[in-house]
Amino acid sequence: MLLFERSEYLSRVARVKKAMTQRGIDLLLVASPANQFWLTGYDGWSFYTPQMVVVSHHQEEPIWIGRGMDAVGAKFTAFLAPKNVVPYPDKYVGSSELHPMQFVSEELKRRRWDRGRIGVETDDYYYTAKWDAILRTTLPNGEFVDAFLLVNRCRMVKSEREIEYMRQAGRIAAAAQQAAFDAARPGVRQCDVMAEVYRVTTAGLPEFGGTFPCKPPNAMVGEYCSAPHLSWTDAPLVDNDLFYIELGGVRHRYHSPLSRCIYLGKPTERMAFMAKVIAEGLNAVLEKVRPGVLCEELAAVWKAVIARHGVEKESRIGYPVGIGYPPTWGELTASIRAGDRTELEPNMTFHCIPAIWTEDYGVVISETFAVTERGADVFADFPRELLSKS
């Protein structure tokens, strides 16, 4: 079953083709699984082998090129006509003599799409140096140009259906944070608390289920909270532990991140103060959100709040978010920080995460929201504070 109407997929392809025309690109090779999913609907855990979506001005639909056994999944998930799902034989998989990019090249030559300016996602996680070398060698009549983030930028403004999936993901995220709070107590292992998080993010709510996240939650305890991207252990929680949890609710690959901290006891005055500053700054940012506002203006609001309290933070406080495939749910296109002049538009979606880290610990309160004419539409309903549990 398709997640979106065929008309929505075609409108996405048209948006990409318009961007291609503006940059003088004749053919676009899309390596990013998130971008492939957005353009075609194709969704399978097959991106560990090379696959490619090709967008050409010569036909309405893109084509998907991938491993033969995975082409079967396209008939269940992609909006493409069968002729636009092109499988390559398994002899190209794990071979020291053949490579799937050679098959891609031959397919492009067969269609006479091997000339002109060919855009490739040069800095994407899934577009490797070997892919690039093979394509450039086997397609000598094409002029290769960088098209990294071309599709990502087209993805920034969401449809109403996408917003609904993210809103559902936000409800799952709130339920997962509640499950973590309920499970966390002295004597319970950190991993057992996180098992409850996974249970909820997988099961979702009675009205709709969840989907596995593109990355594990960042979940740290004690002094490990001073490092933002570590993981839990199997150590039991003890009195006066701080549990920092950044997780994402997921619905059909659409992620709504939500971050909170749980303190097992009464927080120190300094820790409680930092949490109040973060909440005040986050609230001010959310109140500033409107179409036409620049990302750097949101950052300036945050900086003004924390400056009044004598607090400093150098790193960015947010980024666009939506579809997530390993290793990230971020769209990689903009940042809420000084100097980023990206203009907010209706139905753009961001994760605002103004965490503050000290030498001894870190405190986080975050929200995922959509830009609307009325302001920020926050997807999760959960206390915006440092959660304490005696």
Side-chain angles (χ1 to χ4, degrees), residues 76-126:
F76 298 115
T77 60
F79 88 100
L80 304 174
K83 66 179 181 180
N84 291 324
V85 176
V86 182
Y88 59 75
D90 223 56
K91 66 181 181 181
Y92 286 90
V93 178
S95 171
S96 59
E97 299 174 353
L98 297 172
H99 192 278
M101 288 306 110
Q102 294 170 322
F103 183 92
V104 170
S105 292
E106 290 304 313
E107 180 64 22
L108 297 181
K109 290 176 183 176
R110 186 183 71 79
R111 293 170 179 261
R112 298 183 179 178
W113 292 357
D114 60 320
R115 299 176 182 273
R117 287 166 58 87
I118 301 174
V120 291
E121 298 176 311
T122 54
D123 202 25
D124 188 78
Y125 303 112
Y126 291 86

Side-chain angles (χ1 to χ4, degrees), residues 249-287:
V250 193
R251 177 70 169 155
H252 297 315
R253 294 284 191 178
Y254 285 86
H255 290 62
S256 286
L258 182 68
S259 307
R260 294 292 189 272
C261 287
I262 304 167
Y263 193 81
L264 299 182
K266 183 179 180 181
T268 65
E269 289 187 9
R270 181 63 180 173
M271 194 177 292
F273 166 76
M274 295 295 279
K276 289 180 179 179
V277 170
I278 292 171
E280 181 183 342
L282 175 57
N283 288 336
V285 170
L286 294 173
E287 290 172 4

Side-chain angles (χ1 to χ4, degrees), residues 5-18 38-39 60 79 154 159 162:
E5 299 295 330
R6 174 180 172 82
S7 59
E8 180 162 338
Y9 287 113
L10 289 177
S11 70
R12 296 174 183 183
V13 175
R15 199 185 310 175
V16 168
K17 288 181 179 180
K18 180 179 178 181
W38 184 75
L39 278 167
E60 183 179 47
F79 88 100
C154 292
S159 69
E162 289 179 294

Side-chain angles (χ1 to χ4, degrees), residues 224-262:
Y224 281 26
C225 296
S226 61
H229 297 128
L230 297 182
S231 298
W232 61 91
T233 72
D234 62 356
L237 295 167
V238 300
D239 286 329
N240 299 315
D241 261 345
L242 178 68
F243 205 158
Y244 177 123
I245 303 175
E246 177 187 350
L247 57 80
V250 193
R251 177 70 169 155
H252 297 315
R253 294 284 191 178
Y254 285 86
H255 290 62
S256 286
L258 182 68
S259 307
R260 294 292 189 272
C261 287
I262 304 167

Side-chain angles (χ1 to χ4, degrees), residues 75-365:
K75 72 179 181 181
F76 298 115
T77 60
F79 88 100
L80 304 174
K83 66 179 181 180
N84 291 324
V85 176
V86 182
Y88 59 75
D90 223 56
K91 66 181 181 181
Y92 286 90
V93 178
S95 171
S96 59
E97 299 174 353
L98 297 172
H99 192 278
M101 288 306 110
Q102 294 170 322
F103 183 92
V104 170
S105 292
E106 290 304 313
E107 180 64 22
L108 297 181
K109 290 176 183 176
R110 186 183 71 79
R111 293 170 179 261
R112 298 183 179 178
W113 292 357
D114 60 320
R115 299 176 182 273
R117 287 166 58 87
I118 301 174
V120 291
E121 298 176 311
T122 54
D123 202 25
D124 188 78
Y125 303 112
Y126 291 86
Y127 187 78
T128 72
K130 187 166 187 177
W131 288 27
D132 191 69
I134 292 172
L135 289 169
R136 288 175 185 269
T137 299
T138 56
L139 297 173
N141 294 322
E143 176 190 354
F144 281 78
V145 297
D146 181 24
F148 181 55
L149 300 185
L150 184 152
V151 179
N152 302 56
R153 295 190 189 285
C154 292
R155 283 168 41 196
M156 288 184 71
V157 175
K158 309 297 188 294
S159 69
E160 291 302 324
R161 179 68 64 85
E162 289 179 294
I163 293 292
E164 181 58 26
Y165 288 150
M166 293 190 69
R167 188 174 288 113
Q168 292 173 349
R171 291 177 59 190
I172 293 172
Q177 285 287 2
Q178 184 64 54
F181 180 79
D182 293 343
R185 59 184 181 274
V188 174
R189 296 183 303 171
Q190 299 172 26
C191 55
D192 292 326
V193 174
M194 298 313 297
E196 286 301 297
V197 168
Y198 270 84
R199 179 186 63 79
V200 173
T201 55
T202 301
L205 302 178
E207 308 96 295
F208 45 81
T211 312
F212 56 85
C214 67
K215 58 181 283 298
N218 298 322
M220 300 80 71
V221 173
E223 63 181 359
Y224 281 26
C225 296
S226 61
H229 297 128
L230 297 182
S231 298
W232 61 91
T233 72
D234 62 356
L237 295 167
V238 300
D239 286 329
N240 299 315
D241 261 345
L242 178 68
F243 205 158
Y244 177 123
I245 303 175
E246 177 187 350
L247 57 80
V250 193
R251 177 70 169 155
H252 297 315
R253 294 284 191 178
Y254 285 86
H255 290 62
S256 286
L258 182 68
S259 307
R260 294 292 189 272
C261 287
I262 304 167
Y263 193 81
L264 299 182
K266 183 179 180 181
T268 65
E269 289 187 9
R270 181 63 180 173
M271 194 177 292
F273 166 76
M274 295 295 279
K276 289 180 179 179
V277 170
I278 292 171
E280 181 183 342
L282 175 57
N283 288 336
V285 170
L286 294 173
E287 290 172 4
K288 179 70 174 178
V289 171
R290 288 290 189 284
V293 172
L294 306 182
C295 281
E296 67 176 6
E297 293 180 88
L298 298 182
V301 168
W302 158 258
K303 187 173 182 179
V305 169
I306 65 173
R308 287 201 304 270
H309 295 285
V311 177
E312 296 182 357
K313 174 183 167 68
E314 293 300 322
S315 57
R316 68 180 183 173
I317 62 164
Y319 48 85
V321 69
I323 297 168
Y325 277 74
T328 183
W329 54 46
E331 292 182 335
L332 311 177
T333 50
S335 294
I336 302 177
R337 65 181 169 203
D340 193 313
R341 296 186 58 79
T342 302
E343 183 175 319
L344 303 188
E345 299 179 39
N347 282 12
M348 283 184 173
T349 51
F350 288 83
H351 180 210
C352 186
I353 177 168
I356 294 177
W357 298 280
T358 71
E359 290 185 0
D360 302 318
Y361 59 85
V363 180
V364 62
I365 304 171

